[in-house]
Amino acid sequence: MNKKIKNIILKKNKSKIVSLTAYSKNIAKILDRYVDIILVGDSMANVLYGHKNTHKISLDNIIQHTISVKMGVKKSLLVVDMPKGSYINTRAAFKNAKLVIKKTKCDAIKLENNKNNYKIIKYLVKKKIPVMGHIGYTPQFKNKFKIEGQSKQQAIKLLHEAKAIEEAGAFSIVLECLSPYSAKLITESIKIPTIGIGSGINCDGQILVTDDMLGISGFYPRFVKKYANLQKIIKTAIKKFKKDVRNEKFPSNSNTF
Ligand code: KIV
């Protein structure tokens, strides 16, 4: 097993796993020093390409952004989202995951669960492709946002889903927008680490979309904590540049050859 993956698994019950998304080298390089996992998420569809959902991002988009991200990553585990339609059956999943790994040298891929891909996960793992699962709100398969696992019955259903993913051989699972009760139940019932987003404190780790937590994307649902307001910082810098250009203060002698 890849040493980085082993280290992530060993963090369960010891140290919370810190994860963020990246779509380019410069951001990845900053994150790499501080986080355990960098995810090239298909959230790039909304964040970078302005799509309404994640459905139209292509395998090629994902590969190109991961090639850039990889240049900034030395120590973190690099996980790549397989886009919608790229794992419709075992054959397609293997062909596409193999291509992603070959072209990007990433460590693992992530598949959103549609309740039918346990067989796919099992096959990929058998072929030595490390897989991260993803349950709860899975934007590739659900159009309407909803918190899941609020009733005991729903929580048990999600637990079965998580257990099936674990049994299929995934090394970790993202729990997106689950009730805290459901996330806790799953986290305490499976051996592989859970990475929460909008699922409360009782997960083995947390992930956020970097552009959201830095205040660039303009998307701040309740589960996002805004750790910086980069929109404001960028606007201030650009206004200063504009003023300097208009007033012929830029370039000064020190910026001129
Ligand atoms: O695409 C993404 O960024 C994700 C995270 C929100 C987990 O899947």
Side-chain angles (χ1 to χ4, degrees):
M1 184 187 287
N2 173 323
K3 210 171 146 203
K4 287 183 181 177
I5 290 178
K6 210 169 167 186
N7 287 340
I8 294 292
I9 296 170
L10 287 172
K11 284 189 186 296
K12 188 160 177 116
N13 300 321
K14 289 199 186 85
S15 163
K16 294 278 181 176
I17 298 163
V18 182
S19 328
L20 283 168
T21 60
Y23 316 124
S24 66
K25 175 193 158 198
N26 291 347
I27 294 290
K29 203 170 168 186
I30 300 169
L31 302 186
D32 190 47
R33 195 160 157 207
Y34 305 102
V35 305
D36 303 304
I37 298 176
I38 294 179
L39 171 72
V40 182
D42 64 351
S43 51
M44 72 172 69
N46 313 90
V47 178
L48 291 188
Y49 290 93
H51 295 175
K52 277 205 308 281
N53 54 41
T54 56
H55 301 183
K56 290 210 175 97
I57 210 72
S58 68
L59 194 67
D60 198 43
N61 289 142
I62 293 275
I63 289 173
Q64 289 310 320
H65 283 279
T66 309
I67 289 171
S68 171
V69 167
K70 175 72 182 173
M71 288 192 269
V73 177
K74 282 202 179 107
K75 63 155 249 315
S76 311
L77 183 80
L78 180 57
V79 182
V80 175
D81 247 343
M82 295 298 287
K84 186 174 169 81
S86 67
Y87 51 102
I88 44 168
N89 54 45
T90 306
R91 219 168 125 219
F94 180 53
K95 179 175 153 262
N96 291 325
K98 219 167 64 169
L99 184 71
V100 168
I101 291 179
K102 184 173 168 226
K103 296 229 168 188
T104 70
K105 311 274 181 288
C106 68
D107 299 299
I109 54 111
K110 174 164 84 62
L111 300 184
E112 290 186 12
N113 205 39
N114 63 5
K115 298 194 178 79
N116 287 324
N117 55 15
Y118 307 118
K119 243 175 45 197
I120 294 177
I121 296 176
K122 204 167 175 179
Y123 187 75
L124 294 180
V125 173
K126 192 174 128 202
K127 292 285 184 184
K128 307 245 174 317
I129 296 179
V131 178
M132 177 183 264
H134 183 160
I135 65 169
Y137 179 58
T138 44
Q140 290 182 13
F141 302 110
K142 294 171 188 168
N143 289 323
K144 227 171 138 213
F145 174 79
K146 179 164 119 298
I147 306 289
E148 301 203 10
Q150 285 182 303
S151 69
K152 198 168 171 189
Q153 203 185 12
Q154 272 180 4
I156 302 278
K157 245 173 109 179
L158 285 159
L159 175 61
H160 288 318
E161 230 181 289
K163 281 194 165 164
I165 290 174
E166 178 180 38
E167 275 160 27
F171 71 90
S172 158
I173 309 183
V174 168
L175 308 182
E176 182 160 353
C177 295
L178 261 55
S179 74
Y181 165 73
S182 171
K184 185 170 189 284
L185 178 71
I186 293 170
T187 301
E188 288 173 353
S189 309
I190 62 175
K191 290 195 189 77
I192 56 173
T194 59
I195 316 287
I197 173 162
S199 300
I201 198 77
N202 292 303
C203 301
D204 297 306
Q206 297 291 332
I207 184 161
L208 282 176
V209 169
T210 302
D211 294 58
D212 298 344
M213 60 88 80
L214 292 181
I216 316 177
S217 66
F219 179 68
Y220 315 117
R222 184 186 164 127
F223 61 83
V224 173
K225 181 167 169 183
K226 221 163 118 182
Y227 284 85
N229 188 345
L230 288 200
Q231 265 200 14
K232 198 168 156 205
I233 293 171
I234 293 168
K235 275 185 199 160
T236 305
I238 291 168
K239 278 200 281 191
K240 277 191 194 155
F241 174 67
K242 179 178 175 181
K243 199 165 155 212
D244 281 357
V245 171
R246 292 263 155 87
N247 296 329
E248 296 183 16
K249 290 227 168 96
F250 178 85
S252 65
N253 284 343
S254 65
N255 307 116
T256 305
F257 296 108

